[in-house]
């Protein structure tokens, strides 16, 4: 028996008034504007008939001055409501007749341009699971609309965590006119558009349907690739196939995540409080572009890896902005008691450091990743492999990228887009551990006790965190640009094609991460202060140098999405003093800013976070260290040979330092008074001036990198081609670099990190300057000799002499000359 209309409306108004104090909207997307739909009738469409959603929508409209959902509009002489449900039952099988009647009436009222606004109300968020239980009743929304009892319980438990999504309004005039002209019924078409809108919104917010973990893992071993690996292992090891299947199952359970919505919600609240305790704030840039891609693209997040905080912070941010928390590839070393199960329920799936020699494990892991991507789950992994102990971007590992490319190549139903993410800290939790590992060369194994000890640092200030989303890379479009013939190549020679394309993809993603770097006060102060010889500078000069660094990035940025800091240099320096990164010493002639030895070593980590942004600027400045004046052409010839190696080491986006880029840099230098221009000649400032000092400090940023290259090449070419193998040369160069820091009285273990020399050799080999023979010895020709002779002009005589004398003790057998 239906109540009279007036009585029903009164009951709804009374229920709305009662619930108003209880319901809080955690997020509204997009933020409503009171005049957003002025000028045309607005009709709200909910997915289902739930009274709770209708009450929440009424409160939303009332609080934000949106058009009233209880009003009526007249079409073809009939009155119609402006609030409808797409489905009339929780099983989502039957459409409502009231909406169909509205659409039919609108088709015969061509003068009215009605706009349908799909609205989705989430009473919390929860991906649907096969497993039942009490939590399924009490927690948040899933894919099914749910029974009345479940909706009531969900509303009671989540009244203060309501999310509203208003999709793009659908104007009816154009589709209705087109379908009326053809004589076809327009209603099914409009219903399909609405259905897709609701599906896209739910997929974006709660992800695709989740199968139970046990079901998923058992399904893996029946996939063709895993089955083939099981058969091969049974044959090679001469063991029963059933035993190999059980091993594959163990691998699957060792790998697979067990994402739990209650744990996600709990972590969201706990982490929110942790960030408030640790940081002064989390600044986010570029999230809008990610939100626009979610739901229509398969997303793979590829952040830089500087701290264990990275994956927790990124998942928290995505969840906070209404996006599905990603499944995260984590090292097996984190699958430890207490910590491992919690991370697994937060979406982590674990991987071994190497698959080499274990084809079965590789096949299971590859298939698991493929199933995640195929189902549309967002995935996150660190292309560097591990955390950066030096603060700079590490060379990307090919494993996960290769598996992702292979999965998409064979089953690309939707666009797959990589989302680069730069995460910059003003003070990182693991800083002391990183310094210890650089000094000793040994990495401590993680344990629950060691990770929990971090809690004792919670009372220290850690400044702000900057999270910047870089330019997304859609795989198909990038392959078309990078290698238009990739489809034929991948079909004919798949392995050779992947070996070629995956490193290029890794470099592109690394450069896009770097291009989105954020300049924070600690990194800026570290960059300026470490340019001095004794890590001490007049505070007034420091202010001026900081201002210069930011101005250069403003006029000639080192990346497409560089984020500049807020505030003034004096505030930045005071902030760094408050964090304990630097000290100020009062002198009668003026205040000095200094960094003790231990802090100076730590500051190199923060300097390296943004070193790549100033590579081109510092290279130009360094060219004037030994040259008072240079013509533009001569300057380009002097610095161009060093650029490819710098680009490879620092993951710079510019393929070459062309004339246009150089001209922009020189104009920025002139604007800051660092160079003067006389026709075609550029001249450095006069000696003993502040501008000359600032130019010198800027050049010192890139000096360690250039010195390492000079040491390595000078060592190599003191002997005939083929005298050194790769490992010996890298080890010798590292020892020389360490000796140089000791002679200079520096405590800078990052300067002689052997991985930097190995990366430099990779770069020289890739560019064709070096090549290997069948015995692994390195060979070169007169082209490299000539390039070294030209590069000597970058160094002033004193520095050149010191470096040359240092390399005189190196020998191809790894011992010193007597």
């Amino acid at each position: 028996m239906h109540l009279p209309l007036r009585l029903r409306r009164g009951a709804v108004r009374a229920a709305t008034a009662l619930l108003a104090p209880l319901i809080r909207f955690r997020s509204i997307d997009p933020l409503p504007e009171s005049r957003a739909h002025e000028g045309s009738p607005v009709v709200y469409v909910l997915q289902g008939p739930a009274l709770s959603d209708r009450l929440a929508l009424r409160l939303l409209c009332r609080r934000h001055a949106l058009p009233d959902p209880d009003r009526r509009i007249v079409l073809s002489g009939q009155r119609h409501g402006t609030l409808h449900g797409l489905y009339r039952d929780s099983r989502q099988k039957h459409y409502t007749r009231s909406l169909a009647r509205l659409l039919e009436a609108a088709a015969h009222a061509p003068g009215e341009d009605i706009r349908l606004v799909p609205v989705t109300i989430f009473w919390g968020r929860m991906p649907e699971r096969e497993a039942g239980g009490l939590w399924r009743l009490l927690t948040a929304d899933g894919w099914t609309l749910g029974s009345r009892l479940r909706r009531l319980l969900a509303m009671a438990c989540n009244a203060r965590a309501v999310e509203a999504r208003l999709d793009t309004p659908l104007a009816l005039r154009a589709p209705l006119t087109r379908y009326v002209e053809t004589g076809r019924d327009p209603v099914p078409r409009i219903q399909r558009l609405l259905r897709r809108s609701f599906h896209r919104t739910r997929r974006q917010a709660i992800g695709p349907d989740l199968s139970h973990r046990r079901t998923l893992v058992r399904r893996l071993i029946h996939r063709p690739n895993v089955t083939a690996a099981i058969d091969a292992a049974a044959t090679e090891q001469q063991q029963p196939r059933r035993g190999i299947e059980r091993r594959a199952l163990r691998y699957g359970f060792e790998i697979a995540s067990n994402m739990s919505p209650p744990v996600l919600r709990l972590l969201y609240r706990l982490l929110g409080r942790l960030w408030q305790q640790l940081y002064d704030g989390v600044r986010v840039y570029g999230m809008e572009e990610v939100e626009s891609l979610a739901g229509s693209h398969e997303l793979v997040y590829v952040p830089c890896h500087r701290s264990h905080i990275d994956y927790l912070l990124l998942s928290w941010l995505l969840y906070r902005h209404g996006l599905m928390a990603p499944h995260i590839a984590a090292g097996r070393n984190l699958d430890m008691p207490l910590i491992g199960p919690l991370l697994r329920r937060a979406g982590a799936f674990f991987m071994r450091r190497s698959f080499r020699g274990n084809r079965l494990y590789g096949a299971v892991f590859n298939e698991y990743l493929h199933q995640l991507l195929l189902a549309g789950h967002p995935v996150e992994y660190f292309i560097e492999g591990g955390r950066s102990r030096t603060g700079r971007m590490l060379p990307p590992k090919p494993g996960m990228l290769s598996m992702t490319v292979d999965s998409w190549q064979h089953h690309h139903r939707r666009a797959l887009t990589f989302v680069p993410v730069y995460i910059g800290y003003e003070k990182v939790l693991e800083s002391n551990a990183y310094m210890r590992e650089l000094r000793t060369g040994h990495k401590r194994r993680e344990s629950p006790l060691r990770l929990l000890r971090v809690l004792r640092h919670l009372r220290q200030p850690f400044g702000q965190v900057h999270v910047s989303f870089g330019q997304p890379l859609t795989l198909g479009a990038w392959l078309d640009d990078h290698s238009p013939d990739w489809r034929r190549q991948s079909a004919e020679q798949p392995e050779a094609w992947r070996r070629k394309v995956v490193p290029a993809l890794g470099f592109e993603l690394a450069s896009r991460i770097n291009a989105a770097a954020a300049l924070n006060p600690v990194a800026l102060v570290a960059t300026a202060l470490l340019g001095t010889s004794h890590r001490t500078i007049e505070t007034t000069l420091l202010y001026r140098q900081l201002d210069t660094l930011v101005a250069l990035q403003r006029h000639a940025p080192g990346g497409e999405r560089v984020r500049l800091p807020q505030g003034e240099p004096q505030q930045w320096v005071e902030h760094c003093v408050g964090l304990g990164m630097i000290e100020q010493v009062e002198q009668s002639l003026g205040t000095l800013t200094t960094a003790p030895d231990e802090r100076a070593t730590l500051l190199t980590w923060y300097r390296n976070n943004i070193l790549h942004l100033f590579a081109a600027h510092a290279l130009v400045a360094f060219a004037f260290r030994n040259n008072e004046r240079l013509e533009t052409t001569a300057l380009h010839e002097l610095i161009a040979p060093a650029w490819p190696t710098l680009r490879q080491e620092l993951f710079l986006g510019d393929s070459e330092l062309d004339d246009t880029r150089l001209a922009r840099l020189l104009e920025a230098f002139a604007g800051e008074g660092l160079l003067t221009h006389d026709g075609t000649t550029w001249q450095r400032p006069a000696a003993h001036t502040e501008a000359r000092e600032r130019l010198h400090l800027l050049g010192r940023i890139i000096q360690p990198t250039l010195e390492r290259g000079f040491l390595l090449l000078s060592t190599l070419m003191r002997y005939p081609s083929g005298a050194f193998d790769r490992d010996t040369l890298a080890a010798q160069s590292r020892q020389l670099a360490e000796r140089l820091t000791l002679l200079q009285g520096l405590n800078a273990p990052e300067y002689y990190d052997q991985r930097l020399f190995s990366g430099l050799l990779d770069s020289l080999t890739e560019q064709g300057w070096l090549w290997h023979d069948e015995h692994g010895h390195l060979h070169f020709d007169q082209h490299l000799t000539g390039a070294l002779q030209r590069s000597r002009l970058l160094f002033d005589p004193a520095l050149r002499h010191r470096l040359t004398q240092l390399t005189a003790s190196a020998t191809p057998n790894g011992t010193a000359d007597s």
Side-chain angles (χ1 to χ4, degrees):
M1 179 179 179
H2 295 285
L3 295 175
L5 178 61
R6 182 174 299 178
L7 187 58
R8 291 205 307 270
R9 291 181 179 176
V12 169
R13 283 194 294 268
T16 304
L18 288 173
L19 289 174
L22 303 177
I23 294 180
R24 291 183 182 178
F25 289 95
R26 182 169 61 186
S27 69
I28 304 170
D29 185 30
L31 289 175
E33 298 176 2
S34 59
R35 299 291 184 264
H37 308 297
E38 207 172 51
S40 59
V42 173
V43 173
Y44 299 102
V45 183
L46 295 167
Q47 187 172 4
L51 179 62
S52 57
D53 291 352
R54 293 171 177 256
L55 295 177
L57 177 59
R58 287 182 172 90
L59 285 174
L60 176 68
C61 294
R62 179 189 302 174
R63 291 175 182 177
H64 295 276
L66 290 172
D68 185 4
D70 289 324
R71 73 197 187 288
R72 315 286 284 180
I73 58 175
V74 179
L75 295 173
S76 302
Q78 297 179 350
R79 294 170 63 83
H80 296 270
T82 54
L83 174 58
H84 298 268
L86 177 61
Y87 299 105
R88 60 184 175 87
D89 56 41
S90 61
R91 295 171 297 173
Q92 305 184 37
K93 292 184 178 181
H94 304 288
Y95 294 109
T96 56
R97 283 299 306 155
S98 63
L99 180 60
R101 286 195 296 267
L102 172 73
L103 297 176
E104 292 168 355
H108 296 87
E112 296 285 356
D113 187 14
I114 298 173
R115 294 179 179 271
L116 300 183
V117 180
V119 182
T120 306
I121 304 294
F122 293 105
W123 299 84
R125 286 178 289 150
M126 169 183 161
E128 189 62 51
R129 303 177 68 91
E130 290 179 4
L134 185 60
W135 269 111
R136 177 170 178 173
L137 292 174
L138 297 181
T139 51
D141 274 312
W143 274 90
T144 61
L145 298 180
S147 65
R148 292 179 179 178
L149 175 60
R150 181 177 174 183
R151 299 294 297 181
L152 179 63
L153 291 172
M155 182 174 66
C157 294
N158 300 289
R160 296 182 179 270
V162 182
E163 299 184 13
R165 304 293 179 90
L166 286 73
D167 206 346
T168 305
L170 174 63
L172 293 184
R173 177 181 295 171
L176 289 177
T177 301
R178 182 169 61 253
Y179 278 91
V180 167
E181 290 175 350
T182 60
R184 298 173 58 184
D185 184 5
V187 175
R189 168 66 175 173
I190 303 300
Q191 290 171 334
R192 282 196 301 272
L193 292 175
L194 291 170
R195 185 175 69 243
R196 291 175 185 173
S197 171
F198 287 119
H199 187 275
R200 181 175 62 250
T201 300
R202 285 190 172 269
R203 188 182 188 94
Q204 175 181 342
I206 63 178
D209 292 355
L210 289 173
S211 295
H212 192 274
R213 178 169 177 257
R214 184 180 295 105
T215 304
L216 174 62
V217 171
R218 292 189 181 280
R219 190 187 305 148
L220 289 179
I221 67 170
H222 299 295
R223 303 298 300 172
N225 291 339
V226 179
T227 300
I230 291 174
D231 293 337
T235 302
E236 293 171 3
Q237 301 172 20
Q238 297 183 350
Q239 294 182 5
R241 192 180 188 282
R242 188 170 183 80
I244 303 298
E245 277 190 3
R246 285 197 294 267
R247 189 192 309 170
L249 275 174
R250 288 198 302 271
Y251 289 157
F253 285 112
E254 173 188 316
I255 294 167
S257 68
N258 190 23
M259 187 175 281
S260 167
V263 171
L264 284 177
R265 294 187 62 200
L266 175 64
L267 283 177
Y268 172 76
R269 295 184 178 181
L270 293 178
L271 290 175
R273 294 180 181 179
L274 178 62
W275 307 149
Q276 291 178 359
Q277 179 71 28
L278 276 180
Y279 304 116
D280 295 334
V282 179
R283 300 185 64 84
V284 185
Y285 313 93
M287 177 65 79
E288 300 80 7
E289 191 170 10
V290 180
E291 291 175 335
S292 68
L293 293 171
S296 59
H297 289 236
E298 296 174 11
L299 296 185
V300 178
Y301 298 95
V302 282
C304 61
H305 200 11
R306 307 282 161 82
S307 169
H308 280 310
I309 297 296
D310 295 340
Y311 40 83
L312 299 174
L313 180 63
L314 183 55
S315 293
W316 178 81
L317 276 176
L318 294 171
Y319 194 90
R320 181 187 181 189
H321 283 80
L323 300 178
M324 179 60 184
H327 289 253
I328 308 163
R332 192 186 175 194
N333 58 314
L334 292 178
D335 190 13
M336 61 186 80
L338 301 179
I339 304 297
L342 181 63
L343 294 178
R344 198 182 292 274
R345 284 168 174 77
F349 60 98
F350 295 98
M351 61 185 297
R352 299 181 179 181
R353 288 298 179 188
S354 175
F355 301 172
R356 185 172 299 175
N358 193 338
R359 178 187 171 188
L360 179 60
Y361 181 87
V364 174
F365 187 91
N366 198 344
E367 189 61 36
Y368 177 75
L369 177 64
H370 170 66
Q371 291 299 323
L372 288 180
L373 294 172
L374 190 63
H377 294 289
V379 174
E380 174 191 340
Y381 52 76
F382 301 99
I383 57 177
E384 298 167 274
R387 289 169 293 154
S388 173
R389 268 67 177 176
T390 63
R392 65 175 68 208
M393 191 76 189
L394 300 179
K397 304 290 186 182
M400 293 292 291
L401 286 175
S402 181
M403 285 185 278
T404 305
V405 171
D406 182 63
S407 175
W408 177 84
Q409 179 189 353
H410 291 93
H411 301 279
H412 51 281
R413 299 187 302 178
R414 293 197 306 162
L416 186 146
T417 297
F418 291 95
V419 181
V421 187
Y422 174 87
I423 304 176
Y425 300 89
E426 291 182 349
K427 190 174 181 181
V428 71
L429 280 171
E430 300 96 330
S431 56
N432 293 331
Y434 289 167
M435 294 304 100
R436 181 175 57 250
E437 290 172 17
L438 280 174
R439 287 194 301 268
T440 64
H442 300 294
K443 176 180 178 295
R444 287 188 178 182
R445 184 176 181 181
E446 280 86 359
S447 68
L449 182 60
R450 186 166 290 118
L451 291 178
L452 290 176
R453 283 176 183 170
V454 175
L455 297 177
R456 65 186 177 183
H457 300 300
L458 294 184
R459 295 184 181 274
Q460 299 180 15
F462 284 88
Q464 290 187 334
V465 185
H466 299 258
V467 180
S468 178
F469 291 90
Q471 180 185 0
L473 184 151
T474 300
L475 183 57
W478 181 82
L479 287 174
D480 290 337
D481 293 337
H482 179 265
S483 178
D485 197 27
W486 68 270
R487 291 176 177 82
R488 181 186 60 81
Q489 295 178 17
S490 62
E492 294 177 355
Q493 297 178 314
E495 293 298 328
W497 174 77
R498 273 195 294 274
R499 282 195 299 269
K500 178 182 177 182
V501 77
V502 168
L505 175 61
F507 182 90
E508 180 66 24
L509 291 173
S511 64
R512 293 195 186 196
I513 293 172
N514 275 349
L519 295 173
N520 64 55
V522 175
L524 279 170
V525 170
T527 301
L529 190 59
L530 295 177
T532 63
S533 56
H534 299 289
R535 312 303 185 254
T536 302
I537 188 174
E538 293 88 351
T539 303
T540 54
L541 177 58
L542 176 60
Y543 293 159
R544 190 73 181 94
Q545 185 68 3
L546 292 174
D547 193 55
T548 298
L549 293 176
V550 174
L552 290 175
Q553 288 298 320
R554 183 179 295 113
H555 298 298
E560 294 181 359
R561 301 191 178 196
V562 175
R563 313 295 178 174
L564 301 181
Q566 298 179 346
E568 299 297 330
Q570 185 174 355
Q571 296 171 323
W572 305 337
V573 174
E574 292 174 355
H575 182 62
C576 292
V577 172
L579 291 176
M581 309 300 291
I582 57 175
E583 298 176 358
Q584 289 189 317
V585 180
E586 297 295 336
Q587 292 283 319
S588 59
L589 298 179
T591 306
L592 300 178
T593 300
T594 184
D597 287 345
E598 185 66 25
R599 287 299 171 191
T601 303
L602 179 59
L603 286 176
T604 61
W605 192 92
Y606 298 97
R607 187 270 315 273
N608 288 344
N609 285 185
I610 63 170
L611 175 63
H612 59 279
L613 296 179
F614 292 98
H617 309 77
L619 185 59
V620 171
F622 194 82
F624 284 91
R625 177 186 176 114
N626 189 39
N627 299 277
E628 183 176 354
R629 59 177 61 237
L630 286 168
E631 293 185 352
T632 304
T633 303
L635 173 63
H636 189 271
E637 291 177 352
L638 183 61
I639 64 177
W643 183 254
T645 302
L646 287 177
R647 177 178 181 262
Q648 194 72 22
E649 178 177 328
L650 300 177
F651 300 100
L652 306 174
D654 296 326
S655 58
E656 61 181 20
L657 201 57
D658 57 19
D659 294 339
T660 302
R661 171 80 167 141
L662 182 58
R664 190 172 181 181
L665 287 168
L666 292 172
E667 289 174 3
F669 273 58
E672 291 302 304
L674 300 179
L675 294 175
T676 57
H677 189 212
D678 180 16
T680 60
T681 303
W682 294 88
Q683 182 173 344
R684 69 189 182 191
H688 309 299
T689 62
E690 184 195 78
R692 176 72 168 271
E693 182 69 12
R694 287 188 287 125
L695 183 68
H696 177 73
L697 291 175
L698 182 59
R700 287 286 296 268
I701 295 174
I702 206 67
Q703 181 175 330
T705 303
L706 297 176
E707 286 180 351
R708 279 193 295 268
F710 191 90
L711 286 174
L712 185 142
L713 292 178
S714 296
T715 302
L716 175 67
M717 284 183 281
R718 285 193 71 250
Y719 294 89
S721 175
F724 281 96
D725 61 38
R726 175 194 172 91
D727 293 339
T728 301
L729 179 59
Q732 284 273 20
S733 301
R734 191 205 68 80
Q735 293 172 9
L736 293 174
E738 182 178 8
R739 185 177 180 86
L740 179 61
T741 61
L742 294 174
L743 291 173
Q744 293 178 333
L746 301 178
N747 181 17
E750 182 269 340
Y751 180 83
Y752 49 84
D753 184 2
Q754 185 160 335
R755 288 173 296 185
L756 297 177
F757 292 100
S758 298
L760 179 57
L761 287 172
D762 289 337
S763 176
L764 292 170
T765 303
E766 183 177 331
Q767 296 169 43
W769 295 104
L770 298 176
W771 61 93
H772 301 81
D773 61 19
E774 63 274 11
H775 302 294
H777 291 167
L778 294 169
H779 290 264
F780 57 90
D781 57 20
Q782 67 276 11
H783 293 93
L784 184 59
T785 306
L788 179 62
Q789 292 299 323
R790 291 192 299 273
S791 70
R792 292 168 64 89
L793 299 176
L794 281 170
F795 299 89
D796 61 66
L799 179 58
R800 188 166 61 235
H801 176 72
R802 184 179 64 194
L803 295 175
T804 302
Q805 287 295 107
L806 192 64
T807 59
S809 61
T811 61
N813 60 7
T815 60
D817 284 339
S818 58

